[in-house]
């Protein structure tokens, strides 16, 4: 059949169209087979599966032949090319643009990247595709039920997102009507309820908004025995006019940010204005020229502001992020791990149930990226307030801009006593006297200092650098120098004088110090003296400590001694200036490669320390502290074609599997593993295996298995065999293929000369697999072997993993002893920076405490554990924890929230499959809940749980714990 290819509709009754006309398919088997093929959308469906769709339980005598007849009849309207037969069955190849469900998903994806006005139009187009419930006539059938439910839920989410956009665009009435329709269909949707309350309030109907809350609360209580979510309760409080209550969840500490001993003068009014703006608005952008003191103002305001608002603070220093890296920087600052999926979604999901003051510093190089993020946060994360600093406003409709002017400078004809009172002159005097206490600031010299400050337009950074020069040159020579070399930076975003001052400070340096400063521009984070020696040593032979000290004295390098070990960094303007000098000298490529080699040494040292007896605590902490430098180093090595260097770095990052990099690093490790230029290098095997471990961490098990198998085929030494086999063992474990996983771990034990630390992983994993299958003798034997190997290795992280495995074995027979072992294992893992072991040990500890009836201890452990797992982005482990909490809540006579948590975990795609004794235990728990609540109520709670975003499930878990704690008797 010629003409255009057919299009298919499943967002309603099944529909086929060709050349604009509907193709009639007889009701019955052809439509059922077509629906089953569209559910799989290009993936093969077995003949047995299609026969079941066509005939159900009443199969014909020769189902294969009968099915062949049905499929043959379908080929006429569908076209032979699109319906294919293969060894795995039949597949209908349908590009997304030919299936309305595919168009729907594509329009949603486009809307997520668009500005509000365009996004609203795209979502309207997506919703217009719907003609009724998804797969309407087949939604009750087994083959279509899950996909129909998924699409229907996605439609509801889209309606909510469109309502959010209506509110963002100031259009309350359309939001109200669409949300009323949705809630008539699904009355327990809390996101829709929250949006409707907001829309009613913004349309001037506060009483109606509160009535809607009370109706929702009463219906939840009467029909399901549940309370509204914490977010909805907080919204009611805000509508009533009160401040948002502070969160009781663990949150990042107040950051030690921009600690400075220099005076902060002349900004009292600006401090007050910023504090007032942040209290009144959720997004405040402090704007001003480079060097005007935007960052310093925010840093000085934060402690008091955080205390007044009752909010924890997270600071994100953006600098000059690469394309799409703003969201990754925010995730890193929040400490989030992202196991696959979108970093943006992970950030928004985390912030949606968080109360926080988020500071985004130096946004000018990524305004568009920042704007997209802050607008999404404003729509979806009601507990988050934001402060941005930028040379340009973000141009967001909800932005409150706070322009920051330079410090006041005295008039040229001002008498000396008045000139000395100007804020700019006070700053200049404070800085100059700190470096040279005898510097005269008298009636004769104050006019000179005032003139310097005027020539620098009152820019605080320029004034501080000028004061440094004055301490060396004297006041009059400095002014004379500025008369000669004062210049204007080349764009409109800077004020005159700043480059001249940096240039002046640079000119005072000796040639060796100049080369050192240029080399330091390659560091993205802080650095220490050994790092300087490694990177700048090729430019300036000999000791560099004195050169670094002179750069600190010149205020071109900042020193931080707070940790007891000196760390250094460059101000952004100095770093940009130094990078220019490095490029002019033609040394940029060589120094960047030296920097990459330094990062490789840093990563190698961490990997060796993690497996060594003499290792310090948290061996990978230096790598974490230099995260952006690690990324830059790997990318530099890739660009230079030095895959041996890139692979050497990435291999070391996964040789200690109990420390887990963030998502960006994991993706980079996998990218290196797939680079064909890696294969001929000595780093190939370890780097390929490291890519496999990273792929498993990201949830791509097919890629992980492929890379692990490739590495194993090439492996030669014990370390290479270990990492390749670990990849394959973990991948099989994540797939639930326990026998296959055990075979890989057993093969690891057969590797000759395998180091003791690696034997820990093999024995501990086999012990855990034995627990899953109830093989107590094998579990205990391997757990004992793991502990012996850990004692031999002496490495803290592996010792903690062995202790955890032993604790899991003890849970089978001796829970009181297991609790003590698991508590020690978690503490050891935390001290060693083994985040993965911390998580699994504390989950097992929580389970043990619940089994023992030690509820107070379990309740005190649960909130911090949930927060830690959420930061890691480890949803499989979160769902395991949620299941344990359901047990706890049933024991404490809270069956309603227990039912919700258990149903949500059961429905979640990322929840691990139950194995061993857990199968029977949770089956019995579900039966207990149904007996307490009745089957009908339990089913309705389960339906609500399936509709909840996973972030709201977590929020409800935390709220349930809080409520139980509040109701416990005080001893």
């Amino acid at each position: 059949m010629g003409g255009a290819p057919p299009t298919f509709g499943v967002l309603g009754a099944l529909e086929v169209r060709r050349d604009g006309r509907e193709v009639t398919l007889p009701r019955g088997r052809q439509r059922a087979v077509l629906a089953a093929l569209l559910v799989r959308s290009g993936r093969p469906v077995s003949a047995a599966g299609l026969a079941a769709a066509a005939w159900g339980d009443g199969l014909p005598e020769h189902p294969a032949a009968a099915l062949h007849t049905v499929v043959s009849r379908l080929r006429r309207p569908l076209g032979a090319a699109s319906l294919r037969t293969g060894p795995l069955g039949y597949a209908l190849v349908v590009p997304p643009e030919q299936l309305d469900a595919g168009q729907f998903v594509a329009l949603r994806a486009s809307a997520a990247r668009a500005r509000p006005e365009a996004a609203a139009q795209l979502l309207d187009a997506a919703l217009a595709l719907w003609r009724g419930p998804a797969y309407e006539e087949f939604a009750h059938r087994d083959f279509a039920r899950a996909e129909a439910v998924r699409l229907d839920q996605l439609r509801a989410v889209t309606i909510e997102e469109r309502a959010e956009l209506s509110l963002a665009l100031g259009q309350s009435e359309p939001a109200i009507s669409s949300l009323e329709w949705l809630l008539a269909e699904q009355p327990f949707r809390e996101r829709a309820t929250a949006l409707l309350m907001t829309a009613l309030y913004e349309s001037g109907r506060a009483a109606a908004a509160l009535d809607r809350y009370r109706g929702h609360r009463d219906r939840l209580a009467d029909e399901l025995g549940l309370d509204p979510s914490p977010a909805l309760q907080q919204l009611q409080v805000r509508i009533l006019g009160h401040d948002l209550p502070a969160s009781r969840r663990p949150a990042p500490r107040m950051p030690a940010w921009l600690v400075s001993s220099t005076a902060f003068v002349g900004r009292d009014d600006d401090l007050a204005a910023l504090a007032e703006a942040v209290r009144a608005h959720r997004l405040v952008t402090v704007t001003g020229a480079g060097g005007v003191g935007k960052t310093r103002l925010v840093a000085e305001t934060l402690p008091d502001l955080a205390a007044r608002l009752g909010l924890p603070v997270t600071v994100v220093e953006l600098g000059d992020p690469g394309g799409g890296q703003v969201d990754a920087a925010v995730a890193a600052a929040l400490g989030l791990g992202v196991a696959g999926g979108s970093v943006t979604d992970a950030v928004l999901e985390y912030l949606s149930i968080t109360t926080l003051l988020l500071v985004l510093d130096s946004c000018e190089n990524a305004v568009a990226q920042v704007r997209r993020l802050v607008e999404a946060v404003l729509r979806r994360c009601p507990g988050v307030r934001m402060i941005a600093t930028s040379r340009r406003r973000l141009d967001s409709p909800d932005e409150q801009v706070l322009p920051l002017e330079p410090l006041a400078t005295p008039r040229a004809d001002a008498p000396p006593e008045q000139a000395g009172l100007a804020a700019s002159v006070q700053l200049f005097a404070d800085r100059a006297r700190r470096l040279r206490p005898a510097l005269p600031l008298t009636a004769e010299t104050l006019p000179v200092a005032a003139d310097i400050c005027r020539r620098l337009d009152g820019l605080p950074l320029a004034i501080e650098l000028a004061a440094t020069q004055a301490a060396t040159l004297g006041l009059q020579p400095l002014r004379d120098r500025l008369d000669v070399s004062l210049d204007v930076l080349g764009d409109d975003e800077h004020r005159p004088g700043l480059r001249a001052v940096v240039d002046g400070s640079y000119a005072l340096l000796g040639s060796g110090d100049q080369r050192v400063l240029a080399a330091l521009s390659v560091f993205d984070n802080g650095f220490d003296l050994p790092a300087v020696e490694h990177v700048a040593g090729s430019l300036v032979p000999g000791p560099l400590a004195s050169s670094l000290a002179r750069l600190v004295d010149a205020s071109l390098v900042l020193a931080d001694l707070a940790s007891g070990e000196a760390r250094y960094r460059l101000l952004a303007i100095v770093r940009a200036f130094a990078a220019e000098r490095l490029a002019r000298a033609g040394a940029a490529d060589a120094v960047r490669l030296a920097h990459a080699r330094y990062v490789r040494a840093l990563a190698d040292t961490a990997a060796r320390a993690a497996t060594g007896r003499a290792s310090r605590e948290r061996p990978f902490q230096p790598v974490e502290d230099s995260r952006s430098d690690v990324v830059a180093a790997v990318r530099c090595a890739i660009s230079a074609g030095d895959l041996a260097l890139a692979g050497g770095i990435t291999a070391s990052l996964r040789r200690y599997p109990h420390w887990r990099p963030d998502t960006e690093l994991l993706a980079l490790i996998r990218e290196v593993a797939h680079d064909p230029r890696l294969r001929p290098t000595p780093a190939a095997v370890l780097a390929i295996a490291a890519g496999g471990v990273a792929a498993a961490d990201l949830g791509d098990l097919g890629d992980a298995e492929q890379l692990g198998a490739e590495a194993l085929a090439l492996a030669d030494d014990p370390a290479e065999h270990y990492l390749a086999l670990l990849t394959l063992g973990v991948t099989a474990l994540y797939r639930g293929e326990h026998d296959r996983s055990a075979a890989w771990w057993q093969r690891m034990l057969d590797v000759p000369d395998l180091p003791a630390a690696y034997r820990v992983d093999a024995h501990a994993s086999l012990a855990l697999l034995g627990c899953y299958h109830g093989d107590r003798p094998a579990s205990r034997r391997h757990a004992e072997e793991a502990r012996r190997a850990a004692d031999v290795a002496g490495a803290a992280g592996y010792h903690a993993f062995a202790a955890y495995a032993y604790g899991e074995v003890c849970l089978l027979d001796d829970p009181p002893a297991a609790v003590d072992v698991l508590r020690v294992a978690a503490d050891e893992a935390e001290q060693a920076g083994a985040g993965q072991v911390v998580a699994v040990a504390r989950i097992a500890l929580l389970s043990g405490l619940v089994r023992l009836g030690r509820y107070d201890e379990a309740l005190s452990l649960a909130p911090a554990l949930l927060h830690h797992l959420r930061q890691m982005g480890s949803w499989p482990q979160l769902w395991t924890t949620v299941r344990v909490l359901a047990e706890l809540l049933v024991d404490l006579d809270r069956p309603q929230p227990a039912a919700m948590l258990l149903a949500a975990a059961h429905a979640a795609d990322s929840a691990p499959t139950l194995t061993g004794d857990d199968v029977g235990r949770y089956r019995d728990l579900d039966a207990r809940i149904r007996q307490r609540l009745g089957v009908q109520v339990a089913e309705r709670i389960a339906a609500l749980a399936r509709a909840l975003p996973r972030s709201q499930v977590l929020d409800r878990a935390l709220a349930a714990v809080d409520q139980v704690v509040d109701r416990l008797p005080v001893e």
Side-chain angles (χ1 to χ4, degrees):
M1 181 179 292
T7 61
F8 303 92
V10 297
L11 303 181
L14 181 64
E15 181 181 79
V16 183
R17 302 186 73 85
R18 186 187 284 275
D19 297 324
R21 296 192 300 271
E22 185 171 357
V23 176
T24 302
L25 289 178
R27 302 194 68 83
R29 298 185 183 102
Q30 286 188 45
R31 294 176 67 85
V33 168
L34 176 58
L37 290 166
L38 288 171
V39 164
R40 299 286 292 176
S41 189
R43 293 169 293 168
V45 185
S46 68
L50 288 181
W55 287 279
D57 294 333
L59 291 176
E61 185 176 355
H62 301 290
L67 178 63
H68 180 75
T69 301
V70 172
V71 171
S72 297
R73 290 172 179 169
L74 269 177
R75 290 186 189 276
R76 298 191 193 103
L78 303 185
S82 60
L83 185 54
R84 300 175 183 173
T85 307
L88 298 179
Y90 297 87
L92 183 61
V93 180
V94 182
E97 64 272 13
Q98 291 175 225
L99 179 65
D100 58 0
Q103 297 173 38
F104 175 67
V105 171
L107 287 166
R108 279 181 46 82
S110 297
R113 299 188 295 268
R115 295 294 301 274
E117 296 85 353
Q121 294 178 1
L122 290 165
L123 291 187
D124 285 341
L127 291 168
L129 295 169
W130 286 78
R131 298 167 287 106
Y135 289 93
E136 185 171 10
E137 63 201 279
F138 303 106
H140 64 288
R141 300 282 301 276
D142 288 344
F143 70 85
R145 183 181 295 113
E147 179 66 0
V149 168
R150 184 186 74 84
L151 289 170
D152 285 338
Q153 289 299 326
L154 199 57
R155 181 193 193 187
V157 169
T158 306
I159 293 171
E160 291 167 339
E161 290 173 350
R162 179 61 180 91
E164 282 182 328
L165 288 171
S166 293
L167 293 176
L169 296 170
Q171 302 165 354
S172 299
E173 292 305 323
I176 291 171
S177 60
S178 63
L179 292 166
E180 292 278 16
W181 178 87
L182 177 59
L183 286 168
E185 295 287 321
Q186 301 181 44
F188 294 114
R189 290 192 75 89
E190 294 214 329
R191 184 182 182 189
T193 302
L195 288 166
L196 180 56
M197 289 169 60
T198 303
L200 290 168
Y201 179 77
E202 292 187 358
S203 67
R205 289 176 271 175
L210 294 171
D211 285 344
R212 170 63 68 167
Y213 173 81
R214 284 189 288 268
H216 178 77
R217 179 195 61 197
D218 294 346
R219 186 168 188 171
L220 273 178
D222 293 343
E223 298 186 23
L224 304 181
L226 294 171
D227 295 323
S229 68
L232 205 61
Q233 295 178 45
Q234 291 172 1
L235 177 59
Q236 183 215 21
V237 172
R238 289 199 303 275
I239 290 175
L240 287 168
H242 300 288
D243 291 333
L244 188 69
S247 173
R248 285 194 277 179
R249 298 179 188 82
R253 298 176 183 174
M254 180 69 191
W257 186 44
L258 289 186
V259 177
S260 176
S261 60
T262 58
F264 187 67
V265 296
R267 294 299 194 193
D268 290 346
D269 290 345
D270 295 314
L271 286 168
L274 177 58
E276 181 59 32
V278 175
R279 282 194 291 269
H281 303 277
R282 289 185 56 212
L283 172 62
V284 176
T285 303
V286 181
T287 62
V292 78
K294 303 180 292 294
T295 297
R296 180 74 184 274
L297 176 73
V298 174
E300 292 286 342
T301 312
L302 272 185
D304 180 65
L305 195 55
R308 287 176 179 270
L309 294 172
L311 293 175
V313 176
T314 292
V315 176
V316 186
E317 297 180 279
L318 294 175
D320 187 12
Q325 297 307 311
V326 167
D327 299 344
V330 174
L334 291 168
L336 294 183
V338 185
S342 161
V343 175
T344 305
D345 290 345
V347 168
L348 294 174
E349 182 179 56
Y350 180 79
L351 292 178
S352 69
I353 60 169
T354 301
T355 54
L356 185 73
L357 179 58
L358 182 65
V359 178
L360 303 169
D361 187 43
S362 301
C363 300
E364 56 272 359
N365 292 310
V367 168
Q369 293 181 50
V370 174
R371 181 173 55 240
R372 283 194 294 271
L373 177 66
V374 300
E375 289 180 349
V377 171
L378 289 170
R379 290 196 305 270
R380 295 175 53 182
C381 312
V384 177
R385 292 177 180 271
M386 291 171 285
I387 304 174
T389 70
S390 178
R391 295 175 193 171
R392 295 181 289 163
R393 63 190 179 92
L394 303 180
D395 198 25
S396 171
D398 298 299
E399 176 183 29
Q400 176 63 46
V401 178
L402 189 68
L404 187 62
E405 298 296 326
L407 293 173
T409 57
R411 299 192 320 271
D413 60 353
E417 61 273 13
Q418 290 186 9
L421 295 176
S424 58
V425 178
Q426 289 183 30
L427 176 62
F428 181 91
D430 175 84
R431 182 58 176 152
R433 282 173 172 159
R434 286 173 183 271
L435 296 172
R436 186 178 169 189
L439 183 74
L441 286 173
T442 63
E444 290 75 24
T445 58
L446 270 172
V448 180
D451 190 29
I452 291 170
C453 292
R454 278 194 301 274
R455 290 167 185 267
L456 299 176
D457 291 316
L459 286 172
L461 174 58
I463 289 169
E464 290 203 24
L465 292 170
T468 302
Q469 293 186 55
T472 303
L473 298 174
L475 289 171
Q476 191 64 48
L478 171 62
R479 185 174 67 176
D480 295 342
R481 184 182 183 84
L482 292 177
D483 284 339
V484 174
S485 63
L486 187 67
D487 66 347
V488 179
L489 292 178
D491 58 72
D492 294 334
E493 298 175 18
H494 297 78
R495 299 292 297 270
L498 188 54
R499 181 185 291 274
V501 175
V502 179
D503 195 17
S505 295
Y506 179 80
L508 289 174
L509 301 173
S511 60
D513 291 349
Q514 289 178 343
R515 290 195 296 273
V516 171
L517 180 66
L520 296 184
S521 67
V522 301
F523 286 103
D524 199 46
N525 280 319
F527 48 88
D528 56 15
L529 178 57
V532 176
E533 292 171 336
H534 203 120
V535 170
S538 61
L539 296 181
V540 183
L544 296 178
S546 56
S547 179
L548 185 59
R550 287 190 294 270
L551 292 173
V552 172
D553 289 340
S555 291
L556 292 168
V557 174
L558 300 184
D560 180 6
L561 304 175
S563 65
E565 297 182 6
R567 296 279 296 174
Y568 306 91
R569 67 183 180 90
L570 300 185
L571 290 169
I573 185 64
V574 176
R575 183 169 179 247
F577 179 93
E580 291 176 3
R581 293 302 185 271
L582 187 66
R584 287 183 192 177
D589 290 343
V591 173
R592 291 192 180 282
L593 282 173
H595 172 258
R597 288 190 289 272
Y598 158 72
V599 169
R600 176 172 184 173
L602 188 75
D604 285 346
T605 299
R608 286 194 302 271
T611 57
R613 178 175 292 278
S615 67
R616 64 178 183 175
E617 291 182 355
R618 305 187 68 86
F620 267 80
Q621 190 64 50
V623 175
E624 292 180 14
D625 293 340
S626 303
R627 176 201 166 278
S628 56
D629 281 301
V630 174
V631 172
V634 176
R635 295 209 177 279
C636 170
I638 293 173
S639 297
D642 192 342
L643 269 295
L645 178 56
I649 298 171
T650 58
S652 290
L653 294 178
R654 297 314 289 131
R655 278 166 55 194
Y656 178 48
H658 304 302
W659 174 78
R660 181 171 171 178
D662 62 34
T663 304
E664 183 183 13
L665 270 176
L666 289 172
L668 196 54
I669 293 166
R670 184 159 68 156
E671 178 185 332
V672 170
H674 282 289
D675 195 313
R677 295 173 296 173
L678 174 70
R679 270 49 187 179
T681 71
V685 179
L686 284 174
I688 292 168
V693 180
D697 287 337
L698 290 168
D700 191 341
L701 300 184
D703 190 36
E705 185 171 31
Q706 177 184 334
L707 290 170
E710 182 183 359
L712 185 60
L714 300 172
D716 183 36
D717 65 35
E720 292 171 347
H721 277 95
Y722 161 75
L723 203 56
L725 290 165
L726 181 139
T727 301
L728 295 168
V730 167
T731 301
L733 180 62
Y734 287 175
R735 280 181 165 157
E737 299 170 351
H738 291 171
D739 291 343
R740 194 170 179 215
S741 179
W744 291 123
W745 297 114
Q746 190 61 57
R747 184 169 170 181
M748 184 184 292
L749 290 174
D750 296 333
V751 173
D753 302 319
L754 188 71
Y758 300 161
R759 296 182 70 82
V760 172
D761 278 343
H763 281 300
S765 298
L766 287 166
L768 294 172
L769 287 166
C771 290
Y772 301 155
H773 291 285
D775 188 346
R776 284 169 166 77
S779 295
R780 188 165 293 277
R781 183 177 70 255
H782 283 294
E784 293 288 358
E785 289 289 348
R787 291 207 297 173
R788 279 193 284 271
D791 289 339
V792 173
Y798 290 94
H799 193 278
F801 188 47
Y804 155 66
Y806 182 73
E808 285 274 25
V809 173
C810 289
L811 275 177
L812 300 175
D813 300 313
D814 190 356
V819 162
D820 294 335
V821 172
L822 291 167
R823 202 185 301 277
V824 170
D827 291 344
E828 284 184 353
E830 191 163 47
Q831 291 173 5
Q836 295 276 50
V837 182
V838 173
V840 293
R842 288 196 171 141
I843 294 171
L845 173 60
L846 180 68
S847 180
L849 291 170
V850 171
R851 295 184 205 182
L852 290 170
R854 292 160 62 171
Y855 301 133
D856 288 353
E857 294 174 72
L859 290 168
S860 66
L861 174 65
L865 175 58
L866 288 170
H867 181 71
H868 173 69
L869 293 172
R870 180 63 195 91
Q871 280 193 311
M872 289 177 62
S874 183
W875 280 99
Q877 293 170 341
L878 268 168
W879 291 123
T880 298
T881 308
V882 162
R883 284 168 170 156
V884 176
L885 286 178
E887 294 183 75
L888 173 63
L889 291 170
V890 169
D891 288 348
L892 294 176
D893 197 28
R894 297 284 292 158
Q896 292 90 350
M900 173 166 287
L901 298 184
L902 197 61
H906 178 70
D909 292 338
S910 53
T913 303
L914 294 172
T915 58
D917 295 343
D918 287 344
V919 175
R921 186 163 79 252
Y922 285 108
R923 184 175 58 242
D924 293 344
L925 181 66
D926 186 59
R928 287 172 59 194
I929 290 172
R930 289 172 177 268
Q931 185 176 14
R932 295 280 298 279
L933 298 178
V935 173
Q936 185 176 12
V937 171
E939 288 292 342
R940 296 180 73 180
I941 291 176
L944 172 59
R946 288 191 292 270
L948 283 178
R950 62 187 187 180
S951 60
Q952 288 190 22
V953 176
L954 176 58
D955 209 22
R956 280 188 168 276
L958 288 160
V961 171
D962 284 346
Q963 290 170 355
V964 170
V965 170
D966 290 342
R967 295 175 186 180
L968 288 177
V970 179
E971 295 182 1

